[in-house]
Amino acid sequence: MGSAATPRFRFGSLRHKEECVPFKIIASQCTGCSACEPLCPNVAISEKEGSFVIEATKCTECVGHFDEPQCVAACPVDNTCVVDTSLPRYQAPG
Amino acid sequence: MNAVVGRGTYVKAAVNHGKMMQPTTDHKGCCASAKTGQASCGSKAGQGDLPTEIWEKVKDHPCYSEDAHHHYARMHVAVAPACNIQCNYCNRKYDCANESRPGVVSEKLTPEQAVRKVLAIATTIPQMTVLGIAGPGDALANPAKTFETFELVSKAAPDIKLCLSTNGLALPDYVDTIVRSKIDHVTITINMVDPEIGAKIYPWIFFNHKRYTGIEAAKILTDRQLQGLEMLSERGILCKINSVMIPNINDDHLVEVNKAVTSRGAFLHNIMPLISAPEHGTAFGRNGQRGPTAQELKALQDACEGQINMMRHCRQCRADAVGLLGDDRGPEFTTDQVMKMDVQYDLEMRKAYQKRVENERVSKAEACQKELEKLSGEISAITLLVAVATKGSGLINEHFGHAKEFQMYELSTSGAKFVGVRRVEVYCQGGYGEEDRLSTIVRGIRDCHAVFVAKIGGGPKSNLIKAGIEPVDQFAYEFIEKSAIAWFRSYLDKVRRGEVQHGERGDAAVPLRISAA
Ligand code: SF4
Ligand code: SF4
Ligand code: SF4
């Protein structure tokens, strides 16, 4: 349990900061509008070939910085900045 | 503030609007003065009794002066793709090169690319006097790119006027930067001043690192918009308000909006029709929200006209449109092409061109004035609409079949009043679908008694006559107002002699590609 204020956002609520679930951007849905890029407190977002990408090792779900993941809150296309479920922990049973 | 009467005549500054309220019928005409009700064309080609400092700011600005939009051009550079709110009439997911609606832009530029593009276009098209940043997102949701672009342009081309468009959410935070950047016009899109209505237009906003929804979001937005408007007015920056008319949501309410923005010093109010179709993928498009008809739009514009200048020449151009308003030359200046050009910015050439245009504007106003004098004895209650095919410069200089749009004029014994622009598909492309397109045009202007053209083919001519619209080609390449008034005089003659039965015309359809007057 992180010592910082418990984030309201559901994905972050029960995890250690070091164990954060990184977000990813679904490239096929990204408009390339760049709204998310300057908002990331960890400078995890950058442009690659017209679409934006999140560097998984830098993303902390905005925990400790803001109540909501900034990229999710600002993105104009619903379900484009999402939790990266391709990570091993989501593949393992239990 | 008073109505725009005739082209480019801003009759009074906003501060005087209370005193100057008059029924619109009192100052219809070719630049009739609102104070006296007298017809005049304004020897200064449109200043009317607008204070000189405001006239200086707007006279060459195609988006603010109805007269200037016939002669000067603005361009937008798409350096601001991000937005901080969501509107139900916008879909930023798609970039469609064929569509002309707000929020749609075909390329995204860095500030350096943008400046090169501005200089290349300013050198090729001397009438380009205004640079705007208006999206495809929100100029102030991209402050770094927006203000860097303005700074670079004002260094390289100091004669170009700068303007920006915003939804207003971030505006209060940037008022001082706007002043420092020498931006003299700001457009704020305000669709409501009542959060309950706002909640139906804006699903969410992103503010202070949080997403807000519903009435709470709309309340923040309207507070910030009005605060921003007040702050700009205090600092002497001209503010134009854009409103999107959405039937059954904010149509009646826009009269309230008009009052709220007028009392806070807005100088011009532009009410635009919602353009909505399922294939746009917008929330309104998907839920079948319709746009207003031409008559509904005009009725609302008329209802607001006593308060403030109504802007009727907006074509809802694409955010990166280039060239004279409506004449979309964007494709000539793609980033690749611009980067290849060898650009020498020539201020003298531009000044000489602009001087020529000034002389032209004066002679046009004089011709109009002369014709109007001949009308002075006439008494008639007849008011009617005519459409004009024109490429600009205030002349009837377009072939019916090539016209991408028609300028609409309202004629009465007080003169010819420009009331808007209708966009249409180009009819004369030959081959398949020609008949269809022709009937679309006829439907789009069926509220008109006549259409003025430089030339027209036999087929379209008889179609128009069948539909009760008189094709008029005897004024080819002449000044619009002067010709329209001359035609109107002979129309009144014919009515008097009983040769024509004057009747009202129905409402026009505003299908997809025809943005209303
Ligand atoms: S959730 Fe926060 S930290 Fe992670 S990428 Fe988005 S903005 Fe950056
Ligand atoms: S805010 Fe969303 S659409 Fe815009 S660049 Fe970021 S991920 Fe893409
Ligand atoms: S403010 Fe403009 S870019 Fe942003 S959602 Fe509304 S219409 Fe689209």
Side-chain angles (χ1 to χ4, degrees):
Chain A
M1 190 71 210
S3 56
T6 308
R8 259 181 250 155
F9 193 75
R10 60 199 160 105
F11 293 121
S13 50
L14 289 169
R15 286 170 200 283
H16 279 287
K17 207 170 167 183
E18 306 79 63
E19 242 186 67
C20 264
V21 186
F23 279 76
K24 71 169 181 188
I25 291 169
I26 299 179
S28 61
Q29 302 198 142
C30 172
T31 65
C33 80
S34 80
C36 54
E37 184 199 354
L39 297 170
C40 176
N42 300 311
V43 200
I45 307 176
S46 60
E47 187 169 5
K48 285 222 170 69
E49 285 146 26
S51 165
F52 282 73
V53 291
I54 295 173
E55 217 174 301
T57 52
K58 287 189 181 169
C59 174
T60 60
E61 293 174 72
C62 294
V63 171
H65 292 278
F66 304 110
D67 289 350
E68 297 170 36
Q70 298 294 289
C71 54
V72 179
C75 181
V77 190
D78 290 345
N79 303 318
T80 296
C81 300
V82 292
V83 167
D84 189 352
T85 51
S86 67
L87 291 166
R89 72 171 60 115
Y90 289 95
Q91 310 301 327
Chain B
M1 185 182 328
N2 277 277
V4 177
V5 282
R7 300 137 149 224
T9 303
Y10 296 105
V11 177
K12 267 284 165 192
V15 276
N16 290 332
H17 74 274
K19 284 191 284 210
M20 294 303 298
M21 264 209 284
Q22 285 194 10
T24 50
T25 43
D26 279 352
H27 49 253
K28 266 178 202 150
C30 176
C31 321
S33 148
K35 240 188 243 158
T36 58
Q38 247 166 35
S40 92
C41 293
S43 56
K44 284 175 241 160
Q47 176 172 354
D49 46 5
L50 192 77
T52 304
E53 49 316 340
I54 296 185
W55 173 244
E56 279 306 315
K57 283 189 181 176
V58 298
K59 75 176 180 8
D60 299 344
H61 196 305
C63 301
Y64 290 86
S65 155
E66 286 175 9
D67 185 47
H69 98 271
H70 298 283
H71 303 276
Y72 292 112
R74 63 87 190 82
M75 66 176 289
H76 287 164
V77 285
V79 295
C83 190
N84 46 10
I85 68 173
Q86 181 64 56
C87 306
N88 279 334
Y89 49 78
C90 177
N91 173 8
R92 280 172 287 130
K93 198 159 163 187
Y94 299 105
D95 172 333
C96 173
N98 299 315
E99 274 301 332
S100 296
R101 65 204 148 80
V104 179
V105 80
S106 32
E107 56 177 354
K108 195 166 75 179
L109 301 171
T110 65
E112 293 75 25
Q113 288 170 325
V115 173
R116 279 206 69 130
K117 186 166 178 174
V118 171
L119 297 182
I121 287 165
T123 308
T124 320
I125 308 177
Q127 12 343 14
M128 203 287 278
T129 54
V130 182
L131 168 70
I133 296 184
D138 184 75
L140 298 179
N142 303 261
K145 290 175 200 154
T146 295
F147 291 112
E148 187 186 342
T149 305
F150 281 144
E151 199 190 311
L152 293 172
V153 169
S154 67
K155 270 195 204 125
D159 65 317
I160 291 178
K161 291 183 205 304
L162 309 175
C163 65
L164 67 80
S165 296
T166 175
N167 59 44
L169 181 62
L171 184 55
D173 304 336
Y174 292 104
V175 165
D176 292 327
T177 321
I178 288 171
V179 174
R180 266 201 309 279
S181 308
K182 302 210 172 58
I183 292 164
D184 44 16
H185 312 90
V186 173
T187 302
I188 315 171
T189 302
I190 299 184
N191 297 321
M192 52 87 205
V193 289
D194 174 350
E196 305 239 355
I197 293 171
K200 296 182 193 149
I201 305 172
Y202 307 101
W204 57 265
I205 66 166
F206 181 77
F207 180 63
N208 264 344
H209 300 288
K210 277 221 288 272
R211 183 181 279 212
Y212 293 85
T213 57
I215 292 180
E216 194 186 11
K219 171 92 178 75
I220 297 172
L221 182 61
T222 177
D223 288 350
R224 301 275 294 174
Q225 287 173 332
L226 296 179
Q227 187 194 351
L229 169 60
E230 273 172 13
M231 292 170 76
L232 288 175
S233 302
E234 276 162 21
R235 287 160 181 77
I237 292 187
L238 289 182
C239 296
K240 179 186 96 187
I241 306 303
N242 274 349
S243 298
V244 181
M245 178 182 182
I246 312 162
N248 305 322
I249 292 187
N250 73 348
D251 42 358
D252 296 337
H253 178 63
L254 286 180
V255 177
E256 288 305 305
V257 171
N258 183 270
K259 285 193 192 118
V261 301
T262 307
S263 68
R264 286 169 180 82
F267 137 88
L268 200 66
H269 191 188
N270 174 29
I271 296 181
M272 313 181 287
L274 171 72
I275 302 177
S276 173
E279 61 270 28
H280 295 161
T282 61
F284 282 151
R286 278 180 277 123
N287 75 12
Q289 171 66 50
R290 70 170 180 94
T293 67
Q295 222 161 60
E296 287 171 332
L297 180 68
K298 187 168 178 297
L300 178 62
Q301 289 176 331
D302 288 347
C304 295
E305 192 164 59
Q307 320 281 324
I308 190 170
N309 288 325
M310 295 304 299
M311 179 167 142
R312 299 169 186 263
H313 60 275
C314 175
R315 287 146 166 93
Q316 300 188 323
C317 22
R318 242 170 50 195
D320 67 343
V322 169
L324 287 169
L325 282 174
D327 183 18
D328 194 341
R329 291 184 62 180
E332 278 174 50
F333 297 97
T334 61
T335 312
D336 287 351
Q337 264 152 338
V338 166
M339 293 301 146
K340 276 186 254 153
M341 286 180 194
D342 177 28
V343 177
Q344 296 287 331
Y345 193 71
D346 187 347
L347 194 59
E348 289 314 307
M349 176 275 285
R350 289 173 52 80
K351 281 200 186 130
Y353 174 85
Q354 286 158 19
K355 186 141 200 285
R356 266 206 315 282
V357 170
E358 276 322 297
N359 295 339
E360 217 177 90
R361 285 167 80 176
V362 170
S363 54
K364 188 178 56 132
E366 283 169 1
C368 173
Q369 181 64 55
K370 264 204 212 114
E371 202 58 44
L372 203 55
E373 277 158 16
K374 296 191 208 153
L375 198 64
S376 62
E378 300 271 1
I379 303 162
S380 164
I382 294 179
T383 296
L384 52 80
L385 272 181
V386 297
V388 181
T390 171
K391 288 188 209 154
S393 300
L395 299 171
I396 302 168
N397 55 3
E398 184 66 294
H399 189 300
F400 178 78
H402 298 160
K404 290 198 207 83
E405 59 182 30
F406 292 93
Q407 293 186 356
M408 309 297 293
Y409 283 82
E410 190 179 83
L411 307 181
S412 68
T413 49
S414 45
K417 176 174 137 187
F418 177 80
V419 290
V421 180
R422 300 259 174 94
R423 261 196 163 171
V424 289
E425 296 266 5
V426 180
Y427 156 68
C428 186
Q429 285 175 341
Y432 184 77
E434 207 171 273
E435 278 308 308
D436 250 20
R437 210 173 273 124
L438 177 58
S439 59
T440 309
I441 296 180
V442 171
R443 267 205 313 279
I445 59 171
R446 74 174 163 216
D447 51 346
C448 295
H449 278 77
V451 53
F452 290 70
V453 297
K455 232 179 144 170
I456 183 165
K461 206 173 197 165
S462 59
N463 263 311
L464 283 167
I465 294 170
K466 234 183 280 153
I469 304 167
E470 180 186 341
V472 182
D473 56 5
Q474 71 262 37
F475 299 105
Y477 304 100
E478 294 187 37
F479 290 128
I480 296 170
E481 282 108 326
K482 175 187 149 297
S483 312
I485 296 168
W487 175 87
F488 185 64
R489 269 197 306 135
S490 74
Y491 181 83
L492 290 183
D493 270 354
K494 283 189 219 154
V495 173
R496 204 172 310 125
R497 289 198 303 267
E499 285 167 36
V500 206
Q501 192 76 38
H502 176 72
E504 296 292 324
R505 311 270 317 154
D507 200 355
V510 189
L512 238 190
R513 296 292 297 277
I514 299 182
S515 64

